[in-house]
C-alpha cells in the first residue's frame, strides 16, 4: 500500500468519527442537557440535533412524561398520640429539564422527604378518626405544599394519593369491636321497630275486628227485632181481622203464664190479677156443656191480715158456695179437661185462620 494513502485514510476516519459524534438524535418525550466545557449550554429537543464534538457533551437525559412514584410506609403520629403507617403515591412530571438537573441533586429523594414532612404536619393536626375519614382533605393539602415547593425544581406534582393507612393492631381490634357494637345496635333498633310495627298492626286488626263484630251484632239484633215486630204486627192484624173469640185469647193468656217462670234467672214470679178473670172466662165458656155438674166456685177472696193492717174489726164471713164433695170434684175435673180440649181446638183453628189471613194479601 502506498504510504501516502495511510494518513489520508486516518484523516478520513477521524472526520467520520467527528461528524458522527456531532449528530445527536433525541427520542420523543426525552430531553438532553448539553454542556460545553462543563457549562450548561442548552437542552436538546426531540429529533436530529448537532453538537460540537469534543467541546459539547450530554450531561443528563430526562423523561418528561408523567411518572408515578410510590414511597415506603412512613410512621406518622396523630393528634391523639397514635402511630399509623401511611403509604403515599405521587404523580409528577418534569416541566423544566435544566432546573430538574441543576436545581436539586436528587429530585425523587427530595420529593419523598418533603412528602413525609408535610404528611406528618397534616396528620399531626388530626385524630385517628379524622385521619381515616379525611383522605381528600389530606391529599389536597399535600398537593398544594408539594406543588409549591417543587415548582422551582422544574417539577409539577399532578396528584398525591394516600394508598393505605395502617393503625396499630390493638386499635384495629378496638375498631372492629366498635363496628360490631354499632351493627348490633342497629340490628336491635331495627328488631324493636319491627316488633313495634307488628304490635301496632295487630292492635289495629283487633280493633277493626271488634268494630266489625259489634256492627254485625247490632245489625243482627236490629234485623231480629224488625222480624219480631213484623211477626207481632202480622199476628195482631190477623187476630183483629178475623175477630178472634175472647175464649181463644183467654186460653193463650193462660198458656203464656208458665213461660214467665221458665227462665233460670227468675227466683219468683207474680200471678197477675187478671188470672181469675181468664179462668172464669174459659170455664164459663164451657159451663153450659158440663151437664149436671155444678158450676165452679169463684176463687176465695183474699182477706187482709188484721195484725198487719191494724184493723181490729171482726173477720168477715167467708162467701157461701156449694160444698165440694167427691162427685163435685170429678165433675170439675171433667169440665176442666173438656175446657182444655176445646181451647186447644180453638187455638188450632185460630192459627189456621191467622195463616190464611197472612197468605190472603199476597194472593191478591
Amino acid at each position: 500500500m502506498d504510504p501516502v494513502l495511510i494518513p489520508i485514510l486516518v484523516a478520513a476516519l477521524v472526520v467520520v468519527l467527528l461528524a458522527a459524534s456531532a449528530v445527536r438524535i433525541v427520542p420523543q418525550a426525552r430531553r438532553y442537557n448539553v454542556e460545553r466545557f462543563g457549562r450548561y449550554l442548552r437542552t436538546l429537543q426531540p429529533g436530529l440535533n448537532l453538537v460540537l464534538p469534543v467541546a459539547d457533551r450530554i450531561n443528563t437525559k430526562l423523561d418528561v412524561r408523567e411518572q408515578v412514584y410510590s414511597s415506603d410506609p412512613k410512621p406518622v403520629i396523630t393528634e391523639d398520640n397514635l402511630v399509623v403507617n401511611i403509604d403515599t403515591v405521587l404523580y409528577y412530571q418534569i416541566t423544566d429539564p435544566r432546573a430538574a438537573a441543576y436545581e436539586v441533586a436528587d429530585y425523587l429523594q427530595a420529593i419523598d422527604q418533603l412528602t413525609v414532612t408535610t404528611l406528618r404536619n397534616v396528620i399531626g393536626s388530626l385524630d385517628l378518626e379524622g385521619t381515616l375519614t379525611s383522605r381528600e382533605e389530606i391529599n389536597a393539602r399535600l398537593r398544594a405544599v408539594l406543588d409549591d415547593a417543587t415548582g422551582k425544581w422544574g417539577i409539577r406534582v399532578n396528584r398525591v394519593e394516600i394508598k393505605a393507612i395502617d393503625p396499630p393492631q390493638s386499635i384495629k381490634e378496638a375498631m372492629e369491636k366498635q363496628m360490631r357494637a354499632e351493627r348490633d345496635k342497629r340490628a336491635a333498633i331495627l328488631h324493636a321497630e319491627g316488633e313495634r310495627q307488628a304490635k301496632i298492626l295487630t292492635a289495629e286488626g283487633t280493633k277493626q275486628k271488634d268494630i266489625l263484630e259489634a256492627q254485625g251484632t247490632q245489625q243482627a239484633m236490629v234485623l231480629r227485632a224488625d222480624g219480631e215486630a213484623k211477626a207481632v204486627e202480622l199476628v195482631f192484624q190477623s187476630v183483629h181481622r178475623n175477630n178472634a173469640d175472647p175464649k181463644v185469647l183467654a186460653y193463650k193468656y193462660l198458656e203464656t203464664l208458665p213461660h214467665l217462670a221458665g227462665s233460670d234467672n227468675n227466683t219468683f214470679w207474680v200471678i197477675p190479677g187478671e188470672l181469675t178473670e181468664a179462668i172464669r172466662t174459659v170455664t164459663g165458656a164451657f159451663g153450659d156443656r158440663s151437664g149436671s155438674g155444678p158450676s165452679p166456685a169463684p176463687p176465695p177472696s183474699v182477706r187482709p191480715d188484721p195484725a198487719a193492717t191494724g184493723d181490729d174489726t171482726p173477720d168477715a164471713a167467708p162467701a157461701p158456695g156449694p160444698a165440694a164433695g167427691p162427685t163435685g170434684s170429678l165433675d170439675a175435673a171433667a169440665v176442666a179437661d173438656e175446657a182444655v180440649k176445646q181451647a186447644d181446638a180453638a187455638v188450632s183453628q185460630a192459627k189456621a185462620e191467622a195463616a190464611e189471613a197472612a197468605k190472603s194479601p199476597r194472593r191478591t
Side-chain angles (χ1 to χ4, degrees):
M1 180 179 289
D2 188 357
V4 179
L5 294 177
I6 295 175
I8 296 175
L9 293 177
V10 172
L13 182 60
V14 170
V15 171
V16 171
L17 292 176
L18 291 176
S21 63
V23 176
R24 291 290 185 270
I25 298 176
V26 180
Q28 185 66 32
R30 299 290 193 279
R31 301 292 186 272
Y32 293 172
N33 291 325
V34 178
E35 294 178 351
R36 178 170 293 177
F37 300 112
R39 183 186 179 91
Y40 171 78
L41 179 63
R42 61 193 178 97
T43 301
L44 301 181
Q45 300 297 323
L48 180 63
N49 296 274
L50 297 177
V51 296
L52 185 62
V54 180
D56 297 342
R57 72 181 183 89
I58 297 177
N59 182 27
T60 54
K61 298 179 180 180
L62 301 175
D63 190 346
V64 296
R65 293 175 297 179
E66 185 175 5
Q67 302 183 40
V68 181
Y69 175 72
S70 178
S71 63
D72 297 331
K74 299 295 189 300
V76 181
I77 301 176
T78 61
E79 185 181 12
D80 48 357
N81 297 325
L82 293 176
V83 179
V84 295
N85 294 322
I86 299 180
D87 297 345
T88 57
V89 178
L90 181 68
Y91 297 85
Y92 69 94
Q93 185 178 11
I94 297 176
T95 57
D96 188 357
R98 185 195 66 81
Y102 297 102
E103 295 295 336
V104 61
D106 188 352
Y107 59 86
L108 285 180
Q109 184 179 4
I111 292 175
D112 186 23
Q113 295 300 321
L114 182 61
T115 301
V116 172
T117 55
T118 306
L119 189 62
R120 287 176 177 173
N121 292 332
V122 173
I123 298 300
S125 61
L126 299 174
D127 56 3
L128 179 60
E129 184 176 359
T131 303
L132 296 175
T133 58
S134 304
R135 292 197 177 192
E136 293 295 333
E137 180 183 356
I138 296 172
N139 294 337
R141 294 176 64 178
L142 280 175
R143 182 182 179 278
V145 172
L146 291 176
D147 194 19
D148 182 60
T150 58
K152 62 181 180 179
W153 299 340
I155 297 174
R156 182 177 70 247
V157 177
N158 296 326
R159 296 183 65 182
V160 180
E161 297 291 339
I162 296 178
K163 184 169 60 175
I165 300 176
D166 296 329
Q169 186 64 30
S170 59
I171 301 300
K172 289 182 180 180
E173 294 177 357
M175 293 172 61
E176 291 178 358
K177 292 180 180 179
Q178 181 180 2
M179 289 187 293
R180 190 179 302 111
E182 289 292 335
R183 288 193 295 267
D184 294 340
K185 176 183 175 182
R186 290 195 296 268
I189 292 174
L190 292 177
H191 183 68
E193 288 291 336
E195 290 184 351
R196 175 174 174 270
Q197 289 296 118
K199 290 181 180 180
I200 291 175
L201 294 177
T202 302
E204 289 291 336
T206 304
K207 176 183 175 182
Q208 293 295 331
K209 175 185 175 183
D210 295 340
I211 291 175
L212 293 177
E213 288 181 353
Q215 291 178 352
T217 303
Q218 179 185 7
Q219 294 178 1
M221 294 176 66
V222 171
L223 294 176
R224 190 179 299 108
D226 290 341
E228 292 178 357
K230 291 180 180 180
V232 171
E233 183 179 0
L234 289 176
V235 172
F236 182 78
Q237 292 177 359
S238 299
V239 170
H240 283 272
R241 188 184 302 112
N242 295 285
N243 194 13
D245 194 349
K247 297 181 291 184
V248 177
L249 298 178
Y251 178 76
K252 294 298 293 181
Y253 182 79
L254 293 175
E255 189 180 25
T256 307
L257 289 179
H259 294 286
L260 296 177
S263 176
D264 296 335
N265 297 327
N266 292 334
T267 57
F268 69 94
W269 59 289
V270 181
I271 299 176
E274 294 84 355
L275 177 60
T276 57
E277 185 65 25
I279 295 174
R280 186 180 298 111
T281 302
V282 174
T283 56
F286 300 98
D288 55 350
R289 302 179 186 177
S290 60
S292 59
S295 60
S301 59
V302 179
R303 182 172 57 88
D305 189 2
T309 57
D311 189 5
D312 296 337
T313 58
D315 296 341
T327 304
S329 299
L330 293 177
D331 294 338
V335 171
D337 292 339
E338 185 65 21
V340 171
K341 292 179 181 179
Q342 294 295 332
D344 290 338
V347 170
S348 300
Q349 184 178 0
K351 289 182 179 179
E353 292 176 358
E356 291 295 334
K359 294 178 180 180
S360 58
R362 297 181 182 177
R363 294 177 181 176
T364 58

